[in-house]
Every structure is written in structure tokens, then in C-alpha cells.
Amino acid sequence: MATDDVWIWDGGRVSLDFANTLRNRWRTTPEETLRVPDDLMDWLREAHLLAAGTTGAATASLLLSARRLRESVDRAVLAVAAGPMPEPGDVTLLNRSAAAAPRPALQLLIIEDRLEPAGITAPFTADPTLALALIAQDAVDLLLSAESRRVRVCGADRCALRFLDRSPARNRRWCSMSRCGNRTKVRLHQARTRQSGGITEG
């Protein structure tokens, strides 16, 4: 079972955070963090989509549905960010999933002197199926917004997490500066130092 410190919340949207539950997508075999149904329940609680006091366990079939939804979200947002349309099958799955729950009331945030939707920030349901519907709704909202063109893949060689670039210059490269940005800069500096040292010695 995954532990709480496994979850990463740098996507900028709950649907991107959900896509990021499959890690190291650059590998032939990515790392699955939703390994058992309880992992899914834990993630939904940590994402504030499932009420903290919810009891009971998710089923294996719900976990499979969640993984299918996750991959449809991932394919669709990357397709739209790159320009073309998502696959019709992914659109159908997102629409069907999103329709499984009533829409939550919109909330507002002030970000850099402009109003932005706050997204889903509070526990909404005791039903994990409806919690997954909220993820699908967030993905639909993202795909229909101008922000869909600001979805990025982390520039670190061994990361590939998805995130929403809200930087003013639209040039954010890392999912997290502390996790990937600084580490990459340190590695590049060390490589340059080794290379220059080798040239000097030669």
C-alpha cells in the first residue's frame, strides 16, 4: 500500500495530480502508486474528494475504472496541450465519468490580480465513484479552458510528471523546483565541472 508521502500535489489541478499517480512514465514499466483499492481510497481522501470519515473499501473493479479514467485524462490533456484533439474514446469516457455526480458549486481564487476557479478543494462525497466523477469534471473543465494549452511535462530526465504552468512567462520547466529543478541544475553543474576538469588535465 502507498503511504501518504508518496502522493505528489504539484499538478495544479486535481485531474493532473490524479494523472501523476502513475509515476516515471518515461520508463518502459512506469511505477504504479494505486496498487490496491485502499491506495485509491487514501488518495481520494488526501485530495479532499472523499470525506475523511468514509468507511469501507474500494473494490478491484473500481480501482480498474479509476486507472482507466486516469489514463484517459492523461492522454486527453496532453493531446489538447500539443494541439490536436483527444481520442473520441477518451472524450466518451470523460463525459460518462463526469456525468456520474452533480456539479459542485464553483469557488473563486485571486491569483496574480485575476480571478481563477478554485477547483475542488473540500470533501464532497462518501462515495468513491462520485469522487472519481469530480476528477473527470475537473479534467473536462481543464480541456475546455485556455489553461489546457499550459499543461506541461516536467523537463527532468527521470520524472515526466504533468503540471499546469501558471508562471507569468509561461516558461516553467519543472514539476517542482525543490524536487526536480534544483536536482537537475546540480547534476548539470557537476557534469560541466567534470568535463572542464577533464579538458584541463588533458
Side-chain angles (χ1 to χ4, degrees):
M1 177 185 290
T3 57
D4 289 347
D5 61 357
V6 167
W7 312 129
I8 294 175
W9 308 103
D10 292 322
R13 298 284 296 240
V14 70
S15 52
L16 296 180
D17 287 332
F18 190 58
N20 287 337
T21 59
L22 187 66
R23 298 284 157 65
N24 302 316
R25 288 177 180 268
W26 55 273
R27 292 180 180 167
T28 304
T29 304
E31 176 190 356
E32 179 62 77
T33 66
L34 302 179
R35 294 185 286 274
V36 296
D38 280 349
D39 291 339
L40 174 61
M41 297 289 279
D42 288 344
W43 189 91
L44 293 172
R45 287 189 197 97
E46 290 292 319
H48 304 295
L49 297 175
L50 198 63
T54 300
T55 58
T59 62
S61 62
L62 183 66
L63 177 61
L64 186 60
S65 295
R67 289 175 179 171
R68 284 198 201 103
L69 173 62
R70 178 186 64 192
E71 296 313 297
S72 285
V73 168
D74 189 63
R75 286 190 298 266
V77 297
L78 290 184
V80 171
M85 290 293 99
E87 292 294 324
D90 290 328
V91 171
T92 298
L93 191 150
L94 288 172
N95 284 339
R96 186 172 65 241
S97 298
R103 304 268 315 170
L106 287 176
Q107 301 291 302
L108 295 173
L109 284 177
I110 298 175
I111 300 177
E112 297 173 5
D113 296 324
R114 68 179 184 276
L115 289 176
E116 298 280 357
I120 302 159
T121 59
F124 183 76
T125 179
D127 184 340
T129 300
L130 299 185
L132 291 176
L134 296 178
I135 295 171
Q137 289 176 6
D138 183 72
V140 170
D141 286 342
L142 174 58
L143 290 165
L144 291 173
S145 73
E147 284 194 325
S148 63
R149 301 291 180 156
R150 303 181 79 165
V151 174
R152 306 282 186 262
V153 176
C154 182
D157 291 341
R158 300 193 172 194
C159 179
L161 289 177
R162 283 65 164 129
F163 65 89
L164 189 60
D165 179 9
R166 288 192 173 115
S167 65
R170 302 190 181 188
N171 61 354
R172 180 177 157 195
R173 295 182 60 193
W174 321 111
C175 61
S176 164
M177 195 64 192
S178 61
R179 183 173 47 255
C180 286
N182 288 336
R183 291 176 188 173
T184 301
K185 289 182 176 183
V186 167
R187 280 199 303 270
L188 291 174
H189 175 73
Q190 291 172 340
R192 284 193 298 269
T193 301
R194 285 194 300 271
Q195 185 178 28
S196 63
I199 293 172
T200 301
E201 291 171 5

